[in-house]
Amino acid sequence: MTEDTEITDTLAAVFDYIEANREDHLQRVIEYVKHPSISAHDIGIREVAAILVEHLSGLGFEAEAVPTSGHPMVLGHRCDAPGKPTVLLYGHYDVQPPDPLEAWITPPFEPTIRDGRIYARGIGDNKGQHFAQLLALEAHLKVTGTLPCNVIFLLEGEEEIGSPRIAEFVAAHADRLKADLVVTADGPLHPSGRPIVTFGVRGMAGFELVVKTGRTDAHSGNHGGTMPNALWTLVHLLGTMKDAEGRITIEGLHDPVRPPTNAERAAADSLPVDVPGYLESMGLGRLDAPADRPFHDRLMFHPTLTINGIHGGYGGPGTKTVLPAEAIAKCDIRLVPDMTPEQAVACVRAHVEKHAPEGEVEVVMSGSGMLPSRTSLDNRFASAVVDAVRTARGVEPYLYPSIGGSLPDYAFTKTLGLPAFVTPYANADEANHAPNENLEISLFHDGIRTGAALLDRLGRMSI
């Protein structure tokens, strides 16, 4: 990738504007995150969508809240830079439920500043980060009256419930989403505080194993030894899916897995990692098996099989000598290219048919899942994105071929054929999805600078 850290006179003026308006920007993001938008409970969604439409319209965008069969998508266009790239800025305006409320030091929707951080639900994931993108657009418009490149803004209202409609929305509105690249500001920086640029995400397939061995639970004495125990059936079945050495043993699951390219291999190998520090921070005594697998390989290049929970029999206080007739395991598989949720679950079904007692175990797929996504490190827009982060932050970002989590990037890379990049703005300990979610104020301002630098850098390219 070529380096281009030149700060043009225009970008310098935009940076000056951002610096002069730090307090105003801080107060405005605080006001924004005061509004709940909990997709899981349908709380505040349409109100926040309306706020965003008003904000985008105020920036000269053609903006609307586009209805779906679920929560609306906020879509805005401002395309007044002929011959320049069009960037699709994606984010989500919905947030996780704040429970447990008693674990919050201050109320989740009453943003509070403590020790240089804003504490509020959604400040890191994702309201604070996409609001920084909006303020970057505003900064360019205030300074020059125009944008250096074309911009489409897409804000989803269902990311925190698995983005169940993003793929169909993107397919249905492909003509309105014609862009050259997608950039998402989401997630945390490296634990050292160094910025990162991410080129991919893992996908996910969720499923349940539902075991039924009898009509009803029974007395463990009167029927123990004659009636099959649903929990034992489940435990033995799970034991055939992953061995003690950490190998997933579901036949055919790994067949589509695409090995990393030489560039991806080199990028992963160059990433620093403090394994003892990680173990200490997580309260762990060891890494998961296999023990010899490199740390970042585990998160980027290999699928996982996770037992999310096992349910059955009696789990209350005291003793109940029950023989369970039903048991359920909730599981997920994180996917890497070129796996698909359908392929993964099909392999699970075939494995269950082979290893479980006939007719006792049902495999139930949870939702439609998410496809993995990977953009080449050599993509023509990669250097522009990396240069923008370098210019705004004054340090070389780490390049991540992928991250362990899942985002709906596949809707853009698979359906629209666009390269997709993630440029996180939040601190590594942002506590997203947890009580006391927070965002360092300095990183919020750095995010605005990064968004502004991205627009400037793209504006120096031609299509």
Side-chain angles (χ1 to χ4, degrees):
M1 295 181 188
T2 59
E3 292 192 11
D4 185 353
T5 56
E6 176 191 358
I7 299 180
T8 61
D9 290 344
T10 298
L11 184 59
V14 171
F15 280 173
D16 288 344
Y17 174 88
I18 293 169
E19 181 64 25
N21 286 273
R22 287 172 70 93
E23 185 58 31
D24 175 67
H25 292 163
L26 176 60
Q27 295 306 315
R28 287 167 65 190
V29 75
I30 286 174
E31 180 61 33
Y32 177 46
V33 296
K34 283 181 180 179
H35 299 275
S37 48
I38 306 170
S39 52
H41 301 158
D42 197 10
I43 294 175
I45 289 292
R46 282 150 190 81
E47 291 82 356
V48 170
I51 290 171
L52 289 165
V53 169
E54 181 179 7
H55 192 154
L56 284 165
S57 298
L59 296 177
F61 278 68
E62 297 178 9
E64 64 175 313
V66 183
T68 73
S69 58
H71 300 324
M73 304 275 183
V74 174
L75 183 59
H77 294 78
R78 178 155 178 163
C79 300
D80 50 6
K84 300 299 181 181
T86 298
V87 59
L88 194 164
L89 300 175
Y90 166 80
H92 63 92
Y93 65 91
D94 65 322
V95 303
Q96 282 279 318
D99 310 85
L101 292 175
E102 64 273 11
W104 287 78
I105 295 174
T106 50
F109 296 107
E110 295 179 18
T112 305
I113 295 176
R114 297 194 302 273
D115 301 321
R117 301 182 182 214
I118 312 167
Y119 287 82
R121 173 55 87 224
I123 187 63
D125 187 15
N126 169 256
K127 284 180 168 178
Q129 300 205 49
H130 69 244
F131 198 77
Q133 298 282 63
L134 287 167
L135 292 174
L137 296 167
E138 180 181 283
H140 272 280
L141 291 168
K142 290 289 187 180
V143 171
T144 69
T146 189
L147 297 178
C149 63
N150 304 299
V151 177
I152 301 172
F153 223 120
L154 176 63
L155 294 167
E156 184 186 359
E158 297 182 320
E159 195 273 347
E160 297 293 9
I161 54 173
S163 300
R165 296 169 185 84
I166 186 70
E168 65 183 52
F169 178 87
V170 169
H173 296 273
D175 58 328
R176 305 178 67 185
L177 299 171
K178 288 181 179 178
D180 297 294
L181 72 159
V182 180
V183 176
T184 301
D186 198 0
L189 305 173
H190 187 267
S192 66
R194 193 158 168 175
I196 69 175
V197 177
T198 297
F199 291 73
V201 294
R202 287 196 292 198
M204 186 178 70
F207 63 93
E208 295 182 3
L209 300 174
V210 182
V211 182
K212 293 185 179 181
T213 57
R215 186 178 297 110
T216 183
D217 291 354
H219 189 290
S220 69
N222 293 341
H223 298 276
T226 59
M227 174 178 168
N229 184 317
L231 274 169
W232 274 119
T233 299
L234 180 58
V235 168
H236 288 312
L237 175 60
L238 289 168
T240 69
M241 293 183 168
K242 185 176 179 180
D243 64 23
E245 286 71 45
R247 294 182 300 240
I248 301 174
T249 51
I250 299 172
E251 298 89 339
L253 185 72
H254 291 80
D255 289 353
V257 171
R258 184 205 317 166
T261 65
N262 291 338
E264 291 166 348
R265 174 79 274 152
D269 289 345
S270 70
L271 294 174
V273 60
D274 176 9
V275 174
Y278 172 79
L279 295 175
E280 181 180 1
S281 69
M282 296 295 292
L284 301 174
R286 61 181 176 87
L287 292 177
D288 194 15
D292 60 348
R293 180 169 290 169
F295 185 90
H296 288 106
D297 281 38
R298 299 162 178 264
L299 298 169
M300 296 181 183
F301 305 138
H302 294 274
T304 64
L305 171 62
T306 301
I307 304 171
N308 307 125
I310 296 178
H311 311 272
Y314 180 70
T319 299
K320 183 179 181 182
T321 54
V322 64
L323 196 163
E326 296 188 17
I328 297 175
K330 293 180 179 290
C331 305
D332 73 56
I333 297 174
R334 295 288 171 162
L335 312 172
V336 297
D338 291 314
M339 302 171 73
T340 70
E342 295 77 14
Q343 171 262 339
V345 174
C347 289
V348 171
R349 293 187 197 279
H351 184 94
V352 168
E353 185 175 349
K354 180 177 179 180
H355 293 275
E358 185 176 357
E360 289 188 7
V361 182
E362 181 184 8
V363 180
V364 180
M365 188 171 179
S366 305
S368 58
M370 282 191 180
L371 287 164
S373 175
R374 187 83 57 80
T375 291
S376 170
L377 273 69
D378 298 323
N379 182 271
R380 66 170 298 217
F381 292 104
S383 60
V385 176
V386 173
D387 291 343
V389 176
R390 183 192 301 116
T391 300
R393 298 295 307 279
V395 64
E396 191 73 24
Y398 292 130
L399 306 185
Y400 278 60
S402 182
I403 55 173
S406 301
L407 285 169
D409 285 13
Y410 71 92
F412 310 115
T413 58
K414 304 290 187 183
T415 305
L416 300 180
L418 300 178
F421 309 90
V422 181
T423 57
Y425 296 165
N427 36 289
D429 58 349
E430 63 176 315
N432 53 332
H433 293 212
N436 304 305
E437 181 178 348
N438 66 89
L439 178 63
E440 291 184 19
I441 295 172
S442 62
L443 295 181
F444 170 66
H445 295 303
D446 285 343
I448 305 172
R449 285 171 56 91
T450 302
L454 174 67
L455 300 173
D456 176 83
R457 184 65 180 79
L458 292 173
R460 286 186 271 151
M461 299 180 70
S462 298
I463 297 300

